[in-house]
Amino acid sequence: MLIELREVSKVFSTPRGPVVALDAVEAALPEGKVIGLLGPNGSGKTTLLRILVGLLQPDSGEVRYAGQPLSREVCRRFGYMPEERGLYPKTAAKDQLRYLLQLRGFSRSDAEKEIRYWAERLHMPWLDRPARALSKGMQQKVQLTLALAGSPELLLLDEPFSGLDPIVAAEMEALLRERVAQGATLLLSTHRLEQVDTLCDYVLLIHKGRLYLAGETATLRRRYWQRLYEIETTTPVSALPWPVGVQVTPQSDYRALLQLPESLSASALLQELLPHTEVRFFAEKLPTIREIFLQIVDIA
Ligand code: ADP
């Protein structure tokens, strides 16, 4: 496993008393995957990312990357896009990029090379403009450039798609997938659980600082499957003789969601139905990650 979190805890002292941001989080994250760090606002996602990039120290516990403890040298191999997208409003985006890349250790000419490459790749012909003249999506691309420059082996992106229009979001997603296909590991946080079923290979679900669930998206969806099926028939579903115990939730005249009792297999159900209708479509309906989260955590 690429990243190991061992009982990582972090408590912030605030005027209202201590806030537990992370409570003994224990996880092992695979290499070369898109990993989603999921949870509602305030669940500890940003705190965990900040610990992983070395901006915060955990109060207790340990983080290891590729078998080594986190150090400044190790963190240099990471690209980070923070949640707060603070660019100086009056300075040209390009000048800020060059300055920040040089701070990160790029020579001036390497920084210029990176800027030229990403300006083309991310369609940013407007880098001469001051940040205040850029839309939120444009500013986000500038921040993403900082994370991607130098092809880091681990990308940590905090809510990378928030505030993006669907076209820019799709463009960004394709680019990130390409980096992962080339061997990078991507850890991204999001509170939009509906996005992650297709985006993430692996998910970590956290709530109020506690890790509730971690695993491969496909495995979790199968593990939490509740014998639900989707069917489309040529006879209206309301006119079919459903076997005892089948819960039928019509979606339209000819489509329904079915929950089968343990005692009835899918093939036995189809055998009973086929004398009465053709079956146009029949498939297992796996739960979404959002549904699984709602099932195991009370996000009230
Ligand atoms: P998320 O990224 O999931 O929205 P955060 O990691 O930002 O969650 O925050 C987790 C909890 O820790 C929240 O209750 C938040 O208010 C608190 N918190 C985060 N950073 C600080 C800080 N610097 N000082 C005090 N409390 C903080």
Side-chain angles (χ1 to χ4, degrees):
M1 288 290 183
L2 186 66
I3 304 170
E4 287 166 86
L5 301 165
R6 298 188 185 153
E7 306 241 344
V8 173
S9 292
K10 182 76 194 174
V11 179
F12 291 107
S13 351
T14 74
R16 285 165 287 111
V19 173
V20 179
L22 294 173
D23 183 5
V25 171
E26 177 95 23
L29 308 180
E31 186 173 0
K33 304 276 183 201
V34 181
I35 305 165
L37 181 55
L38 319 174
N41 282 324
S43 52
K45 305 183 295 297
T46 297
T47 304
L48 187 54
L49 290 177
R50 289 170 63 89
I51 287 175
L52 283 169
V53 291
L55 288 172
L56 268 182
Q57 291 299 317
D59 294 330
S60 59
E62 194 193 6
V63 181
R64 295 179 83 84
Y65 178 83
Q68 294 176 314
L70 279 189
S71 62
R72 200 177 277 259
E73 284 66 43
V74 168
C75 292
R76 268 210 198 106
R77 286 142 65 185
F78 305 165
Y80 174 52
M81 174 161 124
E83 194 184 16
E84 70 283 358
R85 321 274 195 232
L87 295 173
Y88 300 106
K90 290 185 186 167
T91 313
K94 188 184 257 174
D95 295 336
Q96 301 193 50
L97 267 178
R98 189 187 311 107
Y99 172 75
L100 291 166
L101 287 171
Q102 285 182 269
L103 269 191
R104 288 247 314 272
F106 287 81
S107 69
R108 190 181 168 99
S109 70
D110 284 348
E112 292 286 359
K113 246 187 246 161
E114 291 283 345
I115 293 170
R116 270 199 303 277
Y117 175 77
W118 290 109
E120 170 108 15
R121 196 60 229 279
L122 286 170
H123 313 298
M124 301 187 291
W126 32 255
L127 282 178
D128 287 329
R129 294 190 210 160
R132 65 158 178 248
L134 302 179
S135 72
K136 187 163 181 220
M138 291 166 158
Q139 296 196 28
Q140 223 149 307
K141 284 184 174 183
V142 175
Q143 297 279 1
L144 187 68
T145 301
L146 282 171
L148 291 167
S151 300
E153 55 194 54
L154 175 65
L155 286 165
L156 303 114
L157 311 180
D158 204 345
E159 299 277 358
F161 301 106
S162 75
L164 292 187
D165 69 56
I167 295 173
V168 178
E171 212 175 88
M172 219 189 235
E173 191 181 323
L175 178 78
L176 294 172
R177 280 195 184 287
E178 188 186 300
R179 291 293 306 122
V180 172
Q182 290 163 351
T185 303
L186 167 61
L187 179 58
L188 62 94
S189 78
T190 179
H191 65 282
R192 300 198 191 168
L193 302 181
E194 59 282 357
Q195 277 180 340
V196 302
D197 293 272
T198 50
L199 179 63
C200 300
D201 309 307
Y202 195 96
V203 291
L204 292 174
L205 302 180
I206 63 172
H207 181 46
K208 295 188 178 162
R210 284 185 48 206
L211 180 69
Y212 276 78
L213 196 62
E216 279 180 34
T217 313
T219 311
L220 291 177
R221 294 184 69 195
R222 182 142 289 284
R223 188 188 309 156
Y224 282 84
W225 177 61
Q226 293 185 316
R227 300 184 59 76
L228 265 188
Y229 292 87
E230 236 177 332
I231 194 167
E232 185 176 330
T233 52
T234 51
T235 306
V237 287
S238 57
L240 287 169
W242 296 103
V244 178
V246 178
Q247 278 181 40
V248 184
T249 312
Q251 308 287 86
S252 68
D253 287 351
Y254 299 96
R255 278 189 92 95
L257 276 184
L258 309 175
Q259 184 156 31
L260 267 54
E262 291 282 344
S263 55
L264 185 68
S265 70
S267 55
L269 170 79
L270 290 174
Q271 264 174 20
E272 292 210 28
L273 288 180
L274 283 172
H276 309 279
T277 181
E278 278 176 39
V279 173
R280 285 218 173 113
F281 177 84
F282 186 79
E284 287 173 348
K285 175 110 172 97
L286 297 175
T288 62
I289 290 296
R290 182 170 181 276
E291 285 164 344
I292 295 171
F293 205 176
L294 293 175
Q295 191 183 323
I296 57 175
V297 182
D298 179 13
I299 309 185

